[in-house]
Every structure is written in C-alpha cells, then in structure tokens.
Amino acid sequence: VEDSTPDFIPRVIVKMPIREAYFSPCRRISVDEAEGRICARTALSCQPSIPVVVSGELVTHEVIKILKRYSIFHIDVI
C-alpha cells in the first residue's frame, strides 16, 4: 500500500547561486552519501516533474527521504 500522505516540504538552505552551482565541477553519488553536500544539478521527480532539490541547495536528511520516495537514488553534488 502506497502512502498517500503529502510530502513535508523541508526548509530550503541555499548555499550558492544556481548558476554557480550548475557550472561547478561535480560528481554523481548515491543519495545516501549526499547529506551535507551542495546539489549541483536539479533533481526532479518523474511526473509531475517537480524539483526536489535545486542547484545550489544543501542536501539534508529530509531531502534525501523525498528523493528516495520518488526513486531518485543518485544525485550530482559539488
């Protein structure tokens, strides 16, 4: 049975401007290793394609839970 409870929207912690984050050198890692890192490329859920975490934002424990819920298991980080 799928949980239909809406996701809690965590507080966004911006660490750098989107453009700077997007064009910074990055690497793809497991979301399990991403806590405390800065997102390099926006991570989107598949349909309705809502961004879970945007370039330049801090990846927190709450963000990781949402990423996994939407079957996003790897993320590009700085």
Side-chain angles (χ1 to χ4, degrees), residues 29 35 39:
I29 63 172
E35 187 170 356
C39 176

Side-chain angles (χ1 to χ4, degrees), residues 6-77:
D7 288 320
F8 163 76
I9 300 173
R11 192 181 99 199
V12 173
I13 302 170
V14 177
K15 290 296 196 174
M16 66 175 43
I18 291 172
R19 181 178 172 79
E20 181 181 345
Y22 186 86
F23 289 111
S24 292
C26 67
R27 66 184 184 117
R28 179 163 286 248
I29 63 172
S30 164
V31 295
D32 291 321
E33 301 170 26
E35 187 170 356
R37 305 289 297 267
I38 298 171
C39 176
R41 307 283 187 279
T42 299
L44 299 168
S45 67
C46 186
Q47 298 302 327
S49 298
I50 297 171
V52 177
V53 63
V54 176
S55 303
E57 293 179 356
L58 184 68
V59 179
T60 63
H61 179 72
E62 292 81 11
V63 167
I64 291 171
K65 289 193 307 190
I66 297 170
L67 289 167
K68 288 181 176 182
R69 179 173 179 173
Y70 290 103
S71 299
I72 300 171
F73 300 111
H74 292 87
I75 186 172
D76 294 328
V77 296

